[in-house]
Amino acid sequence: MATFRQPGTVLTDHVLAVPLDHDDPAGETIDVYAREVVTGGTPDKPWLVFLQGGPGSASPRPIGRDSWIDRALDDYRVLLLDQRGTGRSTRISRQSLARRGSAHAQAEYLSHFRADSIVRDAELLRRHLLGDDGTWTVLGQSFGGFCAVTYLSFAPEGLREVLITGGLPGLDARAEDVYRATYPRVAAKNAAHYARYPGDVEAVRRIAAHLREHDVRLPNGGRLTVEAFQSLGLALGSSTGSHEIHYLTEDAFESAGVLSDAFLATVQHRLTCVTNPGYPLLHELCYGQGDGATGWAAQRVRAEHPEFDADDPVLFTGEMTYPWQFEVDPALVPMREAADLLAARPHWPRLYDPAALAANEVPVAAAVYYDDMYVDRELSLETAGRIAGARVWVTNEHEHDALRVSSGAVLDRLIAMVRGEV
């Protein structure tokens, strides 16, 4: 258990072996890693475990008291959990999946990396660190909020309180329901972007036309298609994403009429999933419950929105994953068959228990971002009404990344809400 210091903080590593399949505790194990952050020594403060958004993303790598951690450390001992498959927990990667053998074996392995398994990992870690009777606060951002609702459903005895930012899922929503709600929100974000930067209409149209007429390759050899270029719109739901897309597209071409190396390198950095293949593999599975395959729902629902295939203007897409990603991203090509098998899987366990949530006794505070492009506001508010005692703050002051960029203000309000001070 390594411990080291940064300016104003002391960090300690924790690693715990957990079952790959929690229903088979005597079977294969994987490692789960978490980083403890305190202000020095062993302060007598309650624990707060952070569940990162994603899926497929590691927990933050802090430098001192940065971002929301500064506010959290005033009241808590913080634990940054690398959810299974990410960071220093047993990681999903091209190499690790290849070692599983066949695509069927890979898909079966990946089926154990959803929110239900993440919560059971957290419970084992809680008992390991706090004992059977210890409880902790959960802070869930985006997908981490989905996990927090799963936690409330199946293991509320481990929870002292729950804080959720931009992460209240639809309890009964299927993948296609989510995308039917979010495609119009993405179109609205496009309209706002082009209203802010009207010159981008022609700049983006010119790039898309060039991609249709040429076989454009990124530095890693992957093909840059129109659909891949459109997926840069994932950034539009963040506080700075519209500006970043403007600066990327305003000078994409060299004078000779070819896309510049700088443009292509930046696009590759934004598009490749080499560091987080778990995201495209697992994203739609977040919505898989009961009977029925997710079936590449984002691709199917896109066909209901022909405006995303037009060029007046060219619309960017949002937080959607598509089968073509496994054809054009070299990091994902070896995983295509496994991804198809997961998309076709006919049944998934339930992730939420409406009856347990209706009887909830754990204090819950949640921020719902009115203009959230990633997590539908109406689905979130419906869920909030089904969690007994949940306090909800609906705001248009912030975008989905507010926890990270608000210098602790969002977390401060949630803490006050859960304590009944606001």
Side-chain angles (χ1 to χ4, degrees):
M1 188 170 67
T3 296
F4 55 95
R5 293 182 177 272
Q6 290 183 352
T9 59
V10 178
L11 292 81
T12 302
D13 296 338
H14 297 279
V15 180
L16 184 69
V18 301
L20 170 65
D21 180 355
H22 283 278
D23 291 330
D24 181 18
E28 179 182 353
T29 63
I30 59 174
D31 287 339
V32 168
Y33 168 84
R35 176 177 282 112
E36 176 187 347
V37 186
V38 297
T39 53
T42 54
D44 184 19
K45 293 179 180 178
W47 288 75
L48 179 147
V49 60
F50 178 63
L51 300 179
Q52 170 72 17
S57 299
S59 216
R61 270 44 184 166
I63 300 175
R65 296 181 61 133
D66 62 359
S67 188
W68 60 267
I69 293 175
D70 181 53
R71 173 62 186 89
L73 287 173
D74 289 343
D75 291 57
Y76 300 98
R77 175 191 293 256
V78 174
L79 191 71
L80 303 173
L81 173 65
D82 281 354
Q83 298 162 15
R84 57 167 56 198
T86 74
R88 292 180 61 185
S89 295
T90 299
R91 190 182 313 174
I92 296 170
S93 68
R94 174 174 54 84
Q95 296 92 333
S96 68
L97 284 181
R99 291 194 292 270
R100 310 303 301 189
S102 70
H104 285 275
Q106 293 174 22
E108 179 60 29
Y109 176 74
L110 291 165
S111 71
H112 299 295
F113 285 77
R114 300 200 314 152
D116 46 356
S117 296
I118 291 167
V119 166
R120 295 173 82 173
D121 292 344
E123 272 295 273
L124 291 179
L125 190 59
R126 178 186 64 82
R127 295 189 186 101
H128 174 71
L129 294 174
L130 284 71
D132 290 344
D133 297 328
T135 59
W136 57 18
T137 296
V138 164
L139 171 60
Q141 159 65 17
S142 192
F143 170 71
F146 291 19
C147 294
V149 177
T150 301
Y151 215 144
L152 282 167
S153 294
F154 300 114
E157 66 278 4
L159 300 174
R160 179 175 181 264
E161 54 197 9
V162 170
L163 312 173
I164 296 173
T165 69
L168 282 173
L171 300 185
D172 306 306
R174 304 175 70 84
E176 52 266 36
D177 301 324
V178 171
Y179 296 124
R180 288 192 178 106
T182 52
Y183 268 111
R185 295 199 186 279
V186 175
K189 289 292 187 183
N190 275 270
H193 171 73
Y194 285 132
R196 179 182 292 117
Y197 295 114
D200 283 15
V201 173
E202 180 55 35
V204 171
R205 183 187 293 124
R206 183 185 177 201
I207 294 169
H210 183 85
L211 295 177
R212 290 189 190 98
E213 296 166 5
H214 300 84
D215 181 13
V216 176
R217 298 287 166 165
L218 297 171
N220 64 3
R223 186 178 175 213
L224 180 57
T225 63
V226 174
E227 292 79 11
F229 173 60
Q230 288 176 286
S231 70
L232 292 170
L234 177 65
L236 287 176
S238 71
S239 55
T240 60
S242 174
H243 313 299
E244 294 167 6
I245 287 177
H246 168 68
Y247 289 131
L248 175 65
T249 57
E250 69 173 354
D251 59 352
F253 286 94
E254 296 284 1
S255 58
V258 297
L259 292 169
S260 72
D261 287 346
F263 171 82
L264 295 174
T266 303
V267 169
Q268 175 180 292
H269 175 73
R270 287 179 172 272
L271 292 185
T272 184
C273 292
V274 67
T275 60
N276 62 336
Y279 175 76
L281 286 164
L282 301 172
H283 180 261
E284 281 199 2
L285 307 188
C286 297
Y287 309 115
Q289 297 191 89
D291 292 331
T294 55
W296 294 116
Q299 183 77 8
R300 290 187 285 109
V301 175
R302 176 174 168 151
E304 302 171 9
H305 294 273
E307 64 270 25
F308 286 90
D309 294 322
D311 62 358
D312 188 26
V314 174
L315 296 185
F316 293 99
T317 53
E319 191 178 37
M320 294 92 179
T321 52
Y322 300 101
W324 56 255
Q325 292 177 266
F326 293 84
E327 298 171 356
V328 302
D329 186 343
L332 298 180
V333 169
M335 307 172 194
R336 172 60 194 266
E337 189 176 353
D340 282 337
L341 290 170
L342 288 168
R345 197 177 181 98
H347 181 84
W348 291 100
R350 296 288 302 181
L351 293 171
Y352 315 112
D353 184 340
L357 295 172
N360 173 62
E361 297 181 352
V362 178
V364 177
V368 173
Y369 305 120
Y370 188 85
D371 297 313
D372 200 323
M373 191 182 83
Y374 308 112
V375 179
D376 181 68
R377 175 184 72 240
E378 298 304 326
L379 290 174
S380 293
L381 292 177
E382 179 187 359
T383 294
R386 297 171 69 180
I387 301 176
R391 296 170 180 244
V392 183
W393 169 38
V394 183
T395 176
N396 64 357
E397 299 174 53
H398 302 282
E399 292 286 356
H400 187 80
D401 59 349
L403 179 68
R404 179 175 58 84
V405 303
S406 67
S407 300
V410 166
L411 178 58
D412 184 68
R413 185 179 179 102
L414 289 178
I415 292 171
M417 287 170 61
V418 85
R419 294 174 179 171
E421 298 170 359
V422 174

